[in-house]
Amino acid sequence: MGDGSQGNEARTGEKGERIAEWVDGRLGVYSVVKAKTRRAFPDHWSFILGEICLYSFIILIITGMYLSLYFHPSMEQVEYQGSYAPLRGQLVSEAFNSTMHISFDVRGGLLIRQAHHWAALIFVAAMLVHMLRVFFTGAFRKPRELNWVFGFLLLVLGMFGGLTGYDLPDDLLSGTGLMVVNGTILSIPIIGTYLSMFLFGGEFPGDDLVARFNTIHVLIIPALMVGLLAAHLLMVLYHRHTQYPGPGRNNNNVVGLPLKVRAVKSGGFFFLVAGVIFVMAAVAQINPVWLYGPYRADQVSAGSQPDWYMGVADGLLRVMPGWEITFWGHTLALDNLIPLSAGVGLFLAMGAYPFIESWVTGDDREQHLLDHPRNRPVRTALGVAWLTFYLVAWIGAANDIIAIRFHVSVESVTWAVRIGLFIGPLAAYVITKRWALGLQRRDRDKVLHGRETGIIKRLPHGEFIEVHEPLSQEQLHVLTQHEQYQPIGTGPAGNGEGPDAGSRFPQRLRARLSRSFYGEGTQITKPTAQEYTEITSKNRL
């Protein structure tokens, strides 16, 4: 019997090998996977930000599937007869009723519901921080511009996915937020009314709102996100990982961990992320709809605040003066239209930045080594200015809460935010740029004079000096490996020459932007080999 079973296993193995060879001969799957899995993966703490995005998204999908089994996306009115006594006997929508049922009557329902909400907040936060890491280190440069666009679209879809999911319970808080959304949509010239009627299925709030938002939240947005996420990961494998400068690292290799080791660490990190989310769901209450009650069009929830990622839009709306103008017999609600345009422009600038920088630098080479933010002062300053505008607008979304807590007038807080929206980004840009240039000067001094040791030495003629220790070759490489661009000219060849030099507006604009990025006062010149040799020779003497 033993010999027969071994023979069956051998024949089964041979049959499996033939099938695998047949598939690989026509699809080439094995050879492709083998080539990709033999790559190294950089092991730096900042790369876990992308993993947090992926793992929180997986938790979102799993918990969302569980919640969809009990949720009824309908606005039909029913009488609440659930476990929560204060609302018993009131007329509520089926959506609100099923949300209460999940929270109080389904075993583990409240934990899953809160884990779903916390995972959404963490997903968007991790996406934003991950994109900031990519931005400040220049990981968006060729050939990864499309990957940046995919990540940007994932961030935007995550925000709208959170907005549509937040409104599904049909509670008073979400309804208050929807009134703001509806007002913003109506401010769009020409098409605003049609968009509102289409979205809400009639006059706000309509009868099909929850059903339509449920379709968008459960089907459309997740499908788009899965597709973008798959494309994002495939492009990461195709282009390989970026890495920070260091010994043995260049533009043609990757130094890091093998796939098996990286997979084990990533698996453990997934359970760590899941554990943190579920601990937060267990101990930190979020979105208690039973305290808000069902939505009614004649009521507004006091102190209502959106989820943090929508705070920038709400803040811009709150601090905008109530301006309106009449144009050709139509009223333009500028108090909604201007904040909407500013918010859209803020994110479009983020999405288009890689193409702008590529156009300004004229660099068409593949870049696989990351930048230190200090070595790109203008880019770093622009990123901090963008973030400052975002944070100031975010503060504006809580102007009423800040006024109550600090016992000041809400008008004072509003004016402080208005001024901060203009002064804050400008001040952040100037300070960040000077800070980066100061760090570059320090790096230059370290290269030429070495590291300070803290040892004070007295010379024969009485002068006291601090002893400096020369840097190692590895440290010198890290501090001097970055490339410093030169500003381009306005001519056809990029050098300002030719009969049409400077005559075309795009050329002049490109040259001016290039000077602002890499012209005088935007970077500290790296020490040359001759300077290093001369100064180190003097130090030895």
Side-chain angles (χ1 to χ4, degrees):
M1 292 179 63
D3 294 338
S5 61
Q6 290 178 359
N8 291 334
E9 290 176 1
R11 286 192 295 271
T12 303
E14 292 176 358
K15 185 178 181 180
E17 289 178 1
R18 288 197 301 270
I19 294 174
E21 290 176 357
W22 185 91
V23 173
D24 185 60
R26 287 148 182 81
L27 300 178
V29 176
Y30 176 75
S31 56
V32 172
V33 172
K34 183 178 180 180
K36 299 301 181 184
T37 55
R38 290 180 61 85
R39 289 184 175 180
F41 293 83
D43 189 29
H44 190 271
W45 68 267
S46 64
F47 291 105
I48 68 175
L49 296 170
E51 295 185 51
I52 294 175
C53 302
L54 176 61
Y55 300 151
S56 57
F57 180 72
I58 293 174
I59 295 170
L60 274 172
I61 296 297
I62 296 174
T63 55
M65 292 172 62
Y66 181 85
L67 294 174
S68 65
L69 299 176
Y70 300 95
F71 182 71
H72 299 287
S74 172
M75 298 183 71
E76 292 293 329
Q77 296 292 304
V78 297
E79 183 177 337
Y80 178 71
Q81 295 295 336
S83 302
Y84 189 67
L87 291 179
R88 196 173 297 155
Q90 292 193 24
L91 286 178
V92 299
S93 66
E94 287 191 5
F96 185 86
N97 186 60
S98 60
T99 303
M100 295 291 291
H101 177 69
I102 293 171
S103 302
F104 288 94
D105 301 314
V106 175
R107 179 169 295 182
L110 182 60
L111 177 67
I112 299 299
R113 192 177 143 253
Q114 296 201 148
H116 187 75
H117 202 136
W118 278 118
L121 298 181
I122 292 174
F123 171 73
V124 180
M127 279 291 299
L128 180 60
V129 177
H130 176 61
M131 292 199 69
L132 290 175
R133 196 276 302 175
V134 171
F135 176 86
F136 286 119
T137 58
F140 54 78
R141 293 171 296 173
K142 184 183 177 180
R144 297 177 179 82
E145 299 96 335
L146 285 180
N147 231 9
W148 170 270
V149 174
F150 290 159
F152 169 74
L153 293 176
L154 279 170
L155 174 62
V156 173
L157 285 174
M159 295 173 65
F160 280 99
L163 175 65
T164 53
Y166 184 79
D167 295 320
L168 289 182
D170 197 30
D171 60 290
L172 185 57
L173 180 61
S174 65
T176 302
L178 274 178
M179 284 193 293
V180 178
V181 172
N182 183 52
T184 304
I185 294 175
L186 289 174
S187 69
I188 302 175
I190 302 175
I191 63 172
T193 305
Y194 300 101
L195 285 177
S196 176
M197 296 287 287
F198 173 77
L199 186 63
F200 298 107
E203 292 288 344
F204 178 83
D207 297 323
D208 300 328
L209 169 66
V210 173
R212 296 190 178 195
F213 270 38
N214 185 70
T215 302
I216 296 171
H217 179 75
V218 175
L219 295 178
I220 298 176
I221 291 181
L224 293 174
M225 293 181 72
V226 169
L228 286 172
L229 188 60
H232 181 80
L233 295 176
L234 287 174
M235 292 191 70
V236 168
L237 289 177
Y238 178 73
H239 294 305
R240 76 174 185 267
H241 279 73
T242 55
Q243 59 185 343
Y244 289 92
R249 302 174 185 177
N250 55 52
N251 218 34
N252 300 315
N253 68 358
V254 178
V255 178
L257 300 175
L259 175 63
K260 293 180 179 180
V261 178
R262 187 62 182 152
V264 172
K265 294 183 67 174
S266 297
F269 192 62
F270 167 75
F271 290 107
L272 180 62
V273 172
V276 170
I277 290 175
F278 276 93
V279 167
M280 293 174 66
V283 302
Q285 178 175 273
I286 188 170
N287 199 24
V289 295
W290 53 90
L291 298 181
Y292 309 140
Y295 175 69
R296 286 181 51 178
D298 60 339
Q299 295 182 357
V300 174
S301 180
S304 59
Q305 301 290 317
D307 281 337
W308 72 267
Y309 45 85
M310 286 297 176
V312 59
D314 195 42
L316 292 174
L317 287 169
R318 291 190 184 205
V319 302
M320 180 67 194
W323 293 348
E324 291 183 355
I325 61 173
T326 302
F327 186 72
W328 282 358
H330 298 277
T331 299
L332 292 180
L334 299 182
D335 54 345
N336 279 272
L337 184 59
I338 291 179
L340 175 64
S341 302
V344 172
L346 182 72
F347 279 90
L348 287 180
M350 180 186 190
Y353 182 84
F355 305 97
I356 298 173
E357 182 172 303
S358 175
W359 181 62
V360 169
T361 60
D363 188 0
D364 197 40
R365 299 166 301 170
E366 291 192 1
Q367 301 286 350
H368 301 290
L369 283 179
L370 299 175
D371 290 328
H372 288 295
R374 68 186 66 177
N375 295 327
R376 298 288 180 259
V378 175
R379 178 207 295 159
T380 304
L382 288 174
V384 174
W386 186 96
L387 192 59
T388 302
F389 185 91
Y390 190 101
L391 292 176
V392 173
W394 190 48
I395 293 173
N399 60 348
D400 54 343
I401 304 298
I402 294 174
I404 293 172
R405 297 297 183 184
F406 291 93
H407 305 288
V408 296
S409 66
V410 69
E411 291 82 6
S412 300
V413 179
T414 300
W415 271 105
V417 173
R418 289 173 180 171
I419 296 172
L421 287 173
F422 293 95
I423 303 299
L426 181 61
Y429 177 87
V430 173
I431 293 172
T432 304
K433 182 180 175 182
R434 292 183 63 86
W435 195 346
L437 291 173
L439 292 174
Q440 283 192 35
R441 290 190 184 94
R442 190 191 68 173
D443 290 345
R444 176 183 171 87
D445 290 340
K446 287 176 67 175
V447 170
L448 294 177
H449 302 288
R451 182 182 65 86
E452 296 178 355
T453 62
I455 301 174
I456 306 300
K457 183 178 180 181
R458 184 177 182 182
L459 299 180
H461 59 276
E463 180 185 359
F464 288 93
I465 63 170
E466 183 177 10
V467 178
H468 286 68
E469 178 184 350
L471 300 181
S472 64
Q473 291 297 318
E474 291 80 4
Q475 292 172 319
L476 290 173
H477 171 75
V478 171
L479 295 179
T480 60
Q481 57 79 36
H482 62 281
E483 182 178 358
Q484 292 188 316
Y485 292 102
Q486 296 299 322
I488 61 178
T490 57
N495 54 10
E497 300 176 357
D500 297 328
S503 61
R504 296 173 55 190
F505 174 75
Q507 293 177 350
R508 295 197 302 271
L509 176 62
R510 185 184 185 192
R512 180 170 295 181
L513 289 174
S514 183
R515 286 195 300 271
S516 66
F517 269 70
Y518 303 110
E520 184 178 357
T522 60
Q523 53 189 350
I524 303 300
T525 305
K526 293 191 301 182
T528 63
Q530 183 178 357
E531 287 179 302
Y532 177 77
T533 303
E534 291 177 354
I535 292 181
T536 52
S537 299
K538 290 180 181 179
N539 291 338
R540 293 192 188 99
L541 294 176

